[in-house]
Structures are given as C-alpha cells and as structure tokens.
Amino acid sequence: MPAVALLPFTITPSRKSSSPSAFRLTEKFVLLLVFSAFITLCFGAIFFLPDSSKLLSGVFFNSGVETDTSKTGTDRDANIFGADSVERKLAKIRKDHEKALNEAKDTLQKKPDEIKQDILSEKDKVAQENMVFKTNGGDAALPYLDFKRPPGAVGREPADPETRQKRDKVKEMMKFAWDSYKHYAWGSNELKPISKQGHSSNLFGSIQGATIVDALDTLYIMDMQDEFKAAKEWIEKNLDFNVNAEVSVFEVNIRFVGGLLSAFYLSGEEVFRKKAVELGEKLLPAFNTPTGVPWALLNIKSGIGRNWPWASGGSSILAEFGTLHLEFMHLSELSGKPVFAEKVMNIRKVLNRLDKPQGLYPNYLNPNSGQWGQHHVSVGGLGDSFYEYLLKAWLMSDKKDEEGKKMYYDSIQAIETHLIRKSSGGLTYIAEWKGGLLEHKMGHLTCFAGGMFALGADGAPDDKTGHQMELAAEIARTCHESYTRTNLKLGPEAFRFDGGVEAIATRQNEKYFILRPEVIETYMYMWRYTHDPKYRQWGWEALQALEQHCRVEGGYSGIRDVYASHPNLDDVQQSFFLAETLKYLYLLFSDDDSLPFEHWVFNTEAHPLPVIKKRTDK
Ligand code: DMJ
C-alpha cells in the first residue's frame, strides 16, 4: 500500500495544474495554511504566556461568563465563584496538555512494531465493542434477533499507575484461585483448598462444575482468554442437566443460569445461550404449585418439587422465589418463549394481592395457600435479593417496569420506617423484624444493601436521592466497622447492636467468614457513585486481609472465627468468591466505563446482564 494511503486525506496531482482555476485553488490553500498558523499562534499565546491566567480571568469576569449572580448572590460572590471556576478550567487544560505531551512522548519512544500492535489491539477492542450477535432462539421458524452487545465488556486499563497495579493484583488472585481449582478440583462444584480436592454441597445435586460456570464472566472481563476457552470446552463436553438431581432452584438459577447468560452476552458464544435455555426449561416444573409460586427444591429429572423442611409451615422463601426475575426475563428474550417471563410476572401478581404487615414483605409464603408464613422480615438472608431484584427489574427493563419500581420504593420506605436504626455510637444498621419485635442484628449478607441504596438513589421519589445516598454511605461505614473491629480484619457472618456491643459478633456461630462479597460489592457501588477514595482504600484493606489469612497453598479458604488471633480455616473455596468477590474487587479498581451501569445490571451473583432496550434500539 502506498504511504499516502495512510494520510487522512490525499492530494491527487492534477494534469491541468497550469489552468487558472487550479492556480486559485492552490492560492486558497496557502492562505488557509497561513490563517491556521495565525490562529495556532494566538492560542499558544493565551495558554502559555506567563500571565495568561490573569488575562483570561479578567475576560471571563467582565463578560459575565461563568458568573450567574442570580444563583450566587452578590457580585463579589459571583467573582469568587468565577475566578475559582476559571482557575480550575485552566488547571485542567494544563493537566490535559501535559497528559497529551506525555502520551506523545511515550508513543515516540515506542518501536514501530509496538505501535502497530497498539493499533491492532485498539482495533480489536473497537470491533469487540461493536459486536452484534444473531440468534433466533434455536427455533428456525423465528426471525433472527440482532443483539448489539452493550459497551464496556472489555474494560480499558486504568490510566493511574497505582490503580492499575491494584487491579493487576486482583487479576493475579483470580488466576491463583482458578488455577488451584483447575489443578485440584476440575469439574467438581468447588475446591477444598487445604485438602486439595473437589467439594460439592447439596445445593446443586449432581450437577457439576459450579465454579467453572460461576467464574466464566469474571475470566472474560479480566481478559483471561486461555482460561475462558478451557472453561467453554468443559461446558461443551461435560455440563449435563440430564441428571437425576434434586437442586435448589434459586442457587442453580443465580449461579448456573445467570453465569451462562452473562457468558453468552459477553462472548456471543451460542453454547452458553443454548445451555442457559435448556437449564431454564428444566427449572419450569418448579412453578407447578397451586399459586405458581415455585418450590425451593426441584428434582430436575422427575420434575417433583418441595420446600425446605425447616421453612415455616412448608413455605417458599421470599429471597428464593423473588430472585428469578432477571434471569427469566432474559431467557424469554433469548428463546423467543414467553413462558419464562410469564412465570415470574405471576409471582408479582400473587404478592400484589396480599396484605403486607406494615408494608413489609415476610420471608415466608406458602405456595399452596398463597398466604404468608411466619412474619419474619429481613434485608439479609431469606429476604435480601428479593428487594434487589425489584429495583434491578426496573433498571434492566430500561426503566419501563413501573410495577417493579413502585414495589421497590414502597418496600424501602417500610424498611426505613420499621427496620433501620442508629446505634448510640452513631452506626446505622438494618435490624431484623420478628412479628413486630426487632432483633438488633445485621448479617454480612445485609451489607449488600449499601450498594442497592446507592444504585436506587437516582430514581427515588420526592427528592429522596440525597437521602438514599446518605443511607448507602452509612451502611457502607457500618459494614466497614464490622471488618475493622475483628482481629483478622474480615467481617463476621452477623454482628449485633445490643448488650453494649456495636458491629461485633457475640455468638460463636456468627463469627465465621466464608469469602462473601457483599461488603466489597457495596464499596464498588459507592466508589462508582461518589469517587471517594476511601472506598478503594477499604477494598484494598479487605484484599490484603484475604491475602494474609485466606490464601493457602491450594487456593482461598474461609475462616471459622474472625476474632481469633490465628485463622482456623474451613477448607472451602466458594464459587461466589470467583464470581463475585474478585469481580467486584476488580471493578472497584477499574474505570467507570467497565460494565457501565446504564447498560449492564448485575444479577445477585454478580453476573452482568444487559439492559433490555426497546426492539427499535437494538
Ligand atoms: C451469593 O450466592 C449471592 O450473592 C446470594 O444472593 C447471596 N449470597 C451469596 C454470597 O454471599
């Protein structure tokens, strides 16, 4: 290719160069050059002559630009605001200019091969960002749906070197957790990092590979391509849902369906879409109850369901049947089958027909009678992600799901009135409600609510945005305190505000830490919305504690007592450590254009799902 082809424009030599009209054109061109040189000189003088800032300030004040006296009161005030603003602008121009110069210097120092590589990877990123998927839901009779992947799936490196280093550290942790799992427990659901073998809880029955499916999108986002490829191959060959297994509908939905959907939306690989829909179909018999409120447990071969034997009078659990909505809406999108959406919309109907004690949603609902079980209310275990999914259903619908929005803000109002309290030491916490009596205890799980309040602040009615953000910040602070008040600087499963203690676990069976993500999740949301450096600092503290106390030769382990002077390890590397804890840490040290919130919504297991735009927007 000739060198001129690389220029943004080319001048073709004219065979009629001596004609009068061509001569005028050249003249014009020269004049234009002289004129642009003059303009450049003027700009140079304004920005680089020693007293240019004062000169500019004067110009701005006298012309009234940047000073709105109606808003700021007296003229003197106006000048102060104006001067500040101009100074700030000038400082920014200087900083931008320096940055551009440094970048230019860096580029000049690079070898041509490196520059070529940079251009190629930039092109690659742009191509990836513009990826369009085509799917007809596996049904040849359906038209293809074009789906343009939302931006931010492949985040850019943070410009700030310190942040970059921290983000790289998180990636190293992910690599270590993944490699350890691969080495000692490949194909099992989870890893036992001390015994160096596989581990399976009864949540998944005989379905295998929870860690692989849960980690897929984290691998993708962190650009761990070889690992992602290995995971995909395992899924193609081994992920089998034709098994005689009784599973938790909730856990399988949030980890497997959510993980597969995310992997599809990020990579466009058809295998993930197919597997997600196949598994969704296996879960449908769970809704075969008199009310359509699903069972907690389902045998995916026989289609027979039941509830947890310990749940009040055979009830289904609010946080379980209320945490299917996001995934099921997407299953309908990707399969062209409305049945998934219909099932979860029906749950809404049942809930909306019921009276709510003090506007609160009890944790237990009987799927046969459609009546509440025990009147226990919690924003932690048994209740938590129900509230999260109301808000996120509204956000994921591109703010069209008004019913979800109303249910969310009404329930938060009731929670504020009846559950949120302040300790005498000034810590805000969310208590549990037992038939009208408060238990002054907050779970680690409840700490996700800081992030939820921040995410929902924007749509809050009656000018409550600021108030919701304050609440979010207070919850983040309380949860941070629950970490700092332990010996190992990791938070307990639950902490109390009674008997003279604040944010401390008092019962032995509440002192454990199982690599849960909720506190870091809240730091991540708070960082995105406030850019207050303390959230990154708090996240970094937690990361260091994880490295110091949870990292062992064979992976990462939970801890039995965070108040002990030495960790007694529980020997489980939970799949959500890779799906959530490490992903939220990574995003905490990423720029805001990584999975931006206006395009992506995280399911409760931190699997990003795209906002569903109107058909015409696709
Ligand atoms: C995760 O599986 C999900 O976040 C769920 O909603 C609740 N708890 C675990 C992690 O703590």
Side-chain angles (χ1 to χ4, degrees), residues 491-509:
E493 180 66 3
F495 42 94
R496 297 191 176 251
F497 296 84
D498 55 21
V501 302
E502 300 208 347
I504 289 183
T506 50
R507 304 185 183 183
Q508 197 52 40
N509 64 359

Side-chain angles (χ1 to χ4, degrees), residues 56-128:
L56 258 184
S57 312
V59 171
F60 273 87
F61 297 146
N62 296 337
S63 63
V65 177
E66 292 282 305
T67 57
D68 179 352
T69 49
S70 65
K71 284 194 194 115
T72 53
T74 65
D75 280 347
R76 212 180 108 253
D77 287 344
N79 281 348
I80 293 165
F81 279 99
D84 268 4
S85 165
V86 172
E87 276 305 330
R88 265 204 308 277
K89 282 197 168 145
L90 278 169
K92 189 174 179 303
I93 290 170
R94 274 192 218 106
K95 213 170 144 206
D96 288 352
H97 182 75
E98 255 167 46
K99 200 175 147 208
L101 268 178
N102 285 337
E103 278 172 11
K105 260 192 226 154
D106 282 356
T107 311
L108 281 174
Q109 276 165 8
K110 280 187 179 167
K111 296 189 188 110
D113 270 1
E114 285 175 326
I115 298 179
K116 219 164 144 191
Q117 196 45 52
D118 280 359
I119 294 172
L120 284 178
S121 49
E122 197 51 37
K123 261 173 89 180
D124 201 40
K125 273 189 182 153
V126 172
Q128 281 210 40

Side-chain angles (χ1 to χ4, degrees), residues 301-434:
K301 183 159 191 240
S302 66
I304 294 175
R306 64 182 177 115
N307 275 338
W308 297 106
W310 48 261
S312 156
S315 289
S316 301
I317 307 291
L318 185 70
E320 297 197 329
F321 64 76
T323 310
L324 304 167
H325 198 99
L326 304 185
E327 296 81 1
F328 275 55
M329 295 307 275
H330 269 293
L331 285 175
S332 279
E333 276 286 303
L334 290 184
S335 65
K337 296 179 182 167
V339 61
F340 300 103
E342 285 163 8
K343 295 290 180 199
V344 288
M345 289 312 287
N346 174 61
I347 298 177
R348 288 256 187 100
K349 261 196 212 136
V350 175
L351 289 173
N352 281 330
R353 276 200 297 262
L354 282 166
D355 279 341
K356 279 125 220 125
Q358 316 278 358
L360 295 165
Y361 288 85
N363 293 335
Y364 302 103
L365 178 65
N366 189 307
N368 292 316
S369 65
Q371 295 304 313
W372 298 119
Q374 270 172 319
H375 283 196
H376 287 186
V377 179
S378 170
V379 184
L382 308 186
D384 49 7
S385 41
F386 161 70
Y387 305 99
E388 175 186 358
Y389 270 36
L390 292 176
L391 171 65
K392 290 182 175 176
W394 173 57
L395 296 173
M396 199 183 81
S397 71
D398 207 14
K399 303 195 174 169
K400 307 277 178 317
D401 179 0
E402 288 294 328
E403 182 182 55
K405 178 184 184 187
K406 182 169 173 4
M407 289 170 79
Y408 172 72
Y409 288 107
D410 286 353
S411 64
I412 295 306
Q413 178 62 54
I415 285 167
E416 264 207 77
T417 312
H418 300 290
L419 268 60
I420 298 190
R421 295 288 178 268
K422 203 173 223 148
S423 71
S424 47
L427 293 178
T428 301
Y429 61 96
I430 311 179
E432 313 247 309
W433 196 81
K434 301 213 159 140

Side-chain angles (χ1 to χ4, degrees), residues 258-273:
L260 290 165
L261 286 173
S262 253
F264 170 69
Y265 281 120
L266 291 167
S267 69
E269 300 279 2
E270 176 64 7
V271 58
F272 300 128
R273 191 194 63 79

